[in-house]
Amino acid sequence: MLQSYVPILILLVLATGFALISILLATFIGPRHPNTRKLSPYESGMTPIGPAMRRYPVRFYLVAVLFILFDIEIIFFFPWALIFRQLGFFGLVEIMVFILILLVGYAYVWKKGALDWE
Amino acid sequence: MIEFLIEAVIKSAIIVLVLLTSFAYITWLERKVLARMQARIGPNRAAPFGLLLPLADGIKLIFKEDTTPLEADKFVYLLAPILAAVPAFIIFAVIPIGDTITLFGRTITLYLTDLNVGLLFIFSITSIGVYGIALAGWSSSNKYALLGGLRATAQMISYELPFSLSVVGVLMMVGSFSLVDIVKAQNSIWFVILQPVAFVIFMICAAAEVNRSPFDLPEAEQELTAGYHTEYSGMKFALFYAAEYIKIVAMSALAVVLFFGGWQGPPIPLIGSIPIIWFVIKVFIFLFAFIWVRATLPRFRYDQLMSLGWKVLLPLALANVVITAIAIVLRDLR
């Protein structure tokens, strides 16, 4: 069974090899004339104002947390979908209960305004 | 065992080479088609119809200076383009472009490997691509890059939810994660007819997953210069570009496999049935559609993007799963 993963490993090695070789090739062939101005961060031609690592909106974290919650819930659909035909009516009722619980959380998140960007 | 390994190496090499060539020529196709749609001629200097232009672009990028910003995190800055590009190639390990052919007296399968968790494998691999983009934005120490990387990450993880939910309907009907089984199950009827809503959700999310227009906010040039790859030059930039275009091919191929019957199709008059011809034709139609959409639609606003993903596509995908489940149970009861 594990044998079917061996070709993927080979493809992984080849693809990584291509990426590394192309970067290495470019570093050897390409010119190198670094200076301070060239290596400073691009900011539309101005001298950069302040550090690049500023504080950024908390909403991005919120999206990440919501993603983890919902993604874990969605993962449960996959094994269920696989044997849905065998489960029949019982499987339908089970998933309805599951979706109902999921929807309660979803409605709460929506009501709290976590899904609004503005 | 040795034969098995040699076969895998040859197939992997073919996958990498074909993908690199198709990446080069999709950029050509895109410039040509966009130009025609905007009443321009497009590239026409290098060889007839500008056909050698992708090659010239590649050589130019190798000879460009490879800069690393002084304040950048050197290791992560180098790692990010590799992390973005490699998963795009790996997706094709499980995509079947045909059934089997007999060559030199050997039966050869037209896919690298047929995993019993194929679809899950694709979802997990596409998620790894997000790391490349997030780390590129973070390590560049550039404000545009950081914002572009954050935007891309939030967008890609938001659209991953409806993206993975949209295929649950197909899974319920097939009862297998293997992409070969999914194609074979569409022998009589394509799933796009049985699952039209899922297909629409899938395509919208696919465009958002590869940061394509109208969801190309991470690279909105008017606001963010070039987004997460602002600081990248030379081959590292080329790798990000390659990742984006190879992922477009991957999404097109996945749409064909899941909803349009994969390699299956009627024999074509005159040339007969060549094993992979239908797969190539179908993927090409999807590639053209991606370019067409870019020429047609304006970019979304970020709040519109987020509310479309979370408030429209996610409930719609859930409803699709419920309705499909009820329909299957009712049909099986009869």
Side-chain angles (χ1 to χ4, degrees):
Chain A
M1 204 59 245
L2 271 176
Q3 204 190 30
S4 56
Y5 288 86
V6 174
I8 295 177
L9 195 69
I10 294 170
L11 183 61
L12 178 73
V13 170
L14 280 183
T16 317
F18 159 74
L20 278 175
I21 288 169
S22 61
I23 288 179
L24 276 179
L25 202 68
T27 31
F28 284 125
I29 293 178
R32 248 167 201 274
H33 307 295
N35 62 48
T36 337
R37 279 292 157 83
K38 193 188 274 177
L39 297 185
S40 70
Y42 174 79
E43 213 162 298
S44 308
M46 312 239 306
T47 313
I49 302 165
M53 298 292 170
R54 312 172 72 107
R55 297 200 291 174
Y56 44 82
V58 72
R59 289 209 174 79
F60 287 110
Y61 295 98
L62 197 61
V63 168
V65 170
L66 288 178
F67 163 73
I68 290 174
L69 288 176
F70 281 98
D71 206 36
I72 290 170
E73 279 164 350
I74 283 168
I75 282 298
F76 283 116
F77 279 92
F78 282 84
W80 166 79
L82 207 60
I83 53 163
F84 176 65
R85 277 273 167 84
Q86 284 112 287
L87 290 177
F89 189 69
F90 169 71
L92 183 66
V93 175
E94 284 280 277
I95 207 67
M96 286 302 186
V97 175
F98 181 72
I99 288 177
L100 205 68
I101 297 169
L102 198 156
L103 279 182
V104 172
Y106 182 69
Y108 174 76
V109 168
W110 191 326
K111 189 103 190 303
K112 277 283 179 185
L115 303 182
D116 301 317
W117 196 259
E118 287 309 315
Chain B
M1 190 62 199
I2 294 292
E3 274 191 3
F4 169 77
L5 282 181
I6 291 172
E7 195 183 317
V9 169
I10 293 173
K11 278 187 198 165
S12 306
I14 290 174
I15 288 178
V16 171
L17 289 177
V18 167
L19 284 181
L20 285 175
T21 318
S22 56
F23 150 60
Y25 277 91
I26 292 162
T27 60
W28 175 84
L29 182 76
E30 173 160 49
R31 290 162 81 169
K32 214 63 180 165
V33 171
L34 275 184
R36 284 295 172 188
M37 285 177 175
Q38 295 161 353
R40 294 184 285 117
I41 298 172
N44 65 341
R45 292 285 152 168
F49 312 109
L51 270 171
L52 287 180
L53 194 75
L55 202 66
D57 277 340
I59 294 170
K60 181 194 75 178
L61 281 167
I62 292 180
F63 282 95
K64 284 284 176 191
E65 184 172 355
D66 191 18
T67 57
T68 306
L70 278 177
E71 293 163 42
D73 187 320
K74 298 275 183 309
F75 176 68
V76 179
Y77 187 80
L78 171 72
L79 184 71
I82 299 172
L83 259 183
V86 171
F89 287 96
I90 307 294
I91 296 172
F92 281 87
V94 292
I95 287 182
I97 60 168
D99 199 2
T100 52
I101 51 167
T102 315
L103 215 63
F104 310 121
R106 278 177 58 92
T107 309
I108 296 171
T109 55
L110 285 173
Y111 37 85
L112 187 57
T113 180
D114 179 27
L115 293 186
N116 54 357
V117 289
L119 206 53
L120 275 182
F121 176 78
I122 286 182
F123 284 129
S124 53
I125 292 296
T126 46
S127 311
I128 292 175
V130 183
Y131 282 99
I133 287 169
L135 289 177
W138 177 81
S139 66
S140 304
S141 85
N142 177 309
K143 285 163 201 152
Y144 296 127
L146 182 67
L147 278 176
L150 279 174
R151 272 192 188 186
T153 312
Q155 169 180 334
M156 286 161 97
I157 61 176
S158 295
Y159 277 75
E160 209 171 297
L161 304 174
F163 187 59
S164 37
L165 258 185
S166 67
V167 301
V168 169
V170 171
L171 283 177
M172 278 190 282
M173 285 190 274
V174 181
S176 167
F177 285 127
S178 155
L179 294 173
V180 177
D181 288 348
I182 290 174
V183 172
K184 282 181 178 161
Q186 298 175 71
N187 214 341
S188 51
I189 188 163
W190 289 356
F191 284 147
V192 67
I193 298 160
L194 301 174
Q195 291 276 313
V197 180
F199 171 66
V200 171
I201 297 170
F202 181 88
M203 283 321 287
I204 294 174
C205 295
E209 284 283 312
V210 296
N211 300 327
R212 269 302 274 202
S213 164
F215 303 106
D216 54 348
L217 288 111
E219 297 164 46
E221 48 277 272
Q222 294 90 340
E223 305 156 32
L224 293 174
T225 324
Y228 56 87
H229 57 57
T230 302
E231 290 290 345
Y232 282 89
S233 64
M235 278 318 276
K236 288 181 192 154
F237 166 75
L239 281 182
F240 279 117
Y241 220 66
E244 188 178 323
Y245 279 86
I246 292 172
K247 266 197 246 164
I248 292 172
V249 184
M251 289 301 164
S252 306
L254 202 55
V256 168
V257 166
L258 290 174
F259 294 102
F260 281 83
W263 66 79
Q264 298 181 112
I268 305 167
L270 294 180
I271 44 175
S273 53
I274 303 166
I276 61 170
I277 191 92
W278 273 110
F279 187 82
V280 175
I281 291 173
K282 288 173 191 171
V283 168
F284 190 79
I285 291 170
F286 273 96
L287 290 175
F288 182 79
F290 268 110
I291 299 171
W292 192 3
V293 165
R294 178 173 168 187
T296 311
L297 296 178
R299 191 178 291 134
F300 270 78
R301 238 176 32 224
Y302 207 73
D303 58 321
Q304 291 172 333
L305 170 95
M306 281 306 187
S307 61
L308 177 69
W310 285 98
K311 292 182 179 175
V312 180
L313 293 181
L314 188 58
L316 204 62
L318 261 180
N320 182 57
V321 169
V322 171
I323 291 169
T324 310
I326 292 172
I328 289 176
V329 164
L330 284 181
R331 218 191 63 171
D332 284 358
L333 278 184
R334 256 193 304 131

